[in-house]
Amino acid sequence: MVPAYHRPASASEAMQLKSKLGPGAVFLAGGTEVNNLHAPRPAALIDLAGLGLDKIETTADGLRIGARVTFQQLIEHPAVPEFLKTAAHQMTNRNIRNVATVGGQLGANKSCADLIPALLAAEARVVLADREMPVEAFLTGAPELIIAIIVPTTNRTFGLASHSRTASDISIVTAAASLTLDGDMLRQPMLAIGGVAPHVVRLHEVEKSLDGKPLPSPEHLESLIAGAVHPIDDLRGSAAFKRQIAAVLGARVVKAAAAQTGSRKGAR
């Protein structure tokens, strides 16, 4: 049982509570991570339900997704681009999608996150109480209160894929890519992989090697990706297995993104 529960009425109050209560207090969004039986019990909960962070809005900067928007809301909202709906669908258990939130997944910052690779490939930004930052920078920093995520309007095309043990299990490896084409040449490709590091990562060296060149053969692309990821052995698979899956899925999503150029899939 959690010994203390707080429900602030504003972001500033939430941050004051966190500062006062210390590292043992956690922000409560959907609760799928907080209620995980294998997670440490927090000393206090700071419930974000009263902050109005459950809205999806179209703005001049792009699509603004509140931190408490659920995965199922993403799937059902007409303004959400198709690539984000696809990423949300990778969390295949509907009961969890009804509860799990966008901000909660970012805050948990798990290696095998389903949505984060797509956010990285879309150059999304995290809105904090006092500033904004790219998702990639947020993943490598200290946890902070997330207000919203901004997904910019784009003409990039996307490919997404994931691998899990069962239809209701969490993903073992996730992958997302985005790019544009200039004739046959890949331009500014982005490739993000989950399940191969402590958190989801972009493969910047692979991106550089692809930029300005035609789509390579699947074998060559798989080799590039396999050499750029460093998974570990755990109960869900060996490092060698996850490296192979990451290489296959990574090559698949880059090819899918290149094949969709012209259709502007995902652009809004």
Side-chain angles (χ1 to χ4, degrees), residues 143-169:
E144 297 189 55
L145 174 60
I146 301 169
I147 303 299
I149 295 87
I150 302 285
V151 181
T153 303
T154 181
N155 61 359
R156 300 173 70 84
T157 54
F158 292 80
L160 296 101
S162 66
H163 177 81
S164 61
R165 292 178 294 188
T166 72
S168 292
D169 196 10

Side-chain angles (χ1 to χ4, degrees), residues 140-218:
T140 59
E144 297 189 55
L145 174 60
I146 301 169
I147 303 299
I149 295 87
I150 302 285
V151 181
T153 303
T154 181
N155 61 359
R156 300 173 70 84
T157 54
F158 292 80
L160 296 101
S162 66
H163 177 81
S164 61
R165 292 178 294 188
T166 72
S168 292
D169 196 10
I170 61 174
S171 297
I172 296 174
V173 177
T174 54
S178 72
L179 51 82
T180 61
L181 273 183
D182 180 8
D184 292 332
M185 303 297 177
L186 306 183
R187 296 297 182 190
Q188 296 182 318
M190 297 181 182
L191 176 60
I193 304 288
V196 297
H199 55 77
V200 180
V201 291
R202 270 185 58 188
L203 304 188
H204 290 281
E205 292 305 314
V206 175
E207 294 170 356
K208 290 177 184 177
S209 69
L210 297 176
D211 193 17
K213 299 176 184 176
L215 182 69
S217 69

Side-chain angles (χ1 to χ4, degrees), residues 5 17 23 28 54 60 76 98-99 104 122 135 144 147 156 170-171 210 212 217 228 265:
Y5 171 86
L17 281 167
L28 174 64
D54 57 354
E76 296 176 356
N98 285 337
V99 177
V135 167
E144 297 189 55
I147 303 299
R156 300 173 70 84
I170 61 174
S171 297
L210 297 176
S217 69
K265 185 175 182 181

Side-chain angles (χ1 to χ4, degrees), residues 31-102:
T32 55
E33 291 297 336
V34 171
N35 291 310
N36 188 328
L37 294 177
H38 302 290
R41 294 292 90 187
L45 292 178
I46 304 171
D47 193 342
L48 305 180
L51 274 58
L53 305 180
D54 57 354
K55 299 178 179 62
I56 300 174
E57 302 170 297
T58 301
T59 72
D61 295 326
L63 195 67
R64 182 183 174 98
I65 302 169
R68 290 193 70 254
V69 167
T70 67
F71 275 49
Q72 194 60 34
Q73 281 179 270
L74 286 180
I75 292 168
E76 296 176 356
H77 199 285
V80 173
E82 196 62 33
F83 75 90
L84 281 183
K85 292 177 185 281
T86 299
H89 259 301
Q90 290 176 172
M91 185 179 285
T92 53
N93 187 310
R94 173 68 180 263
N95 292 333
I96 297 177
R97 291 202 308 267
N98 285 337
V99 177
T101 63
V102 176

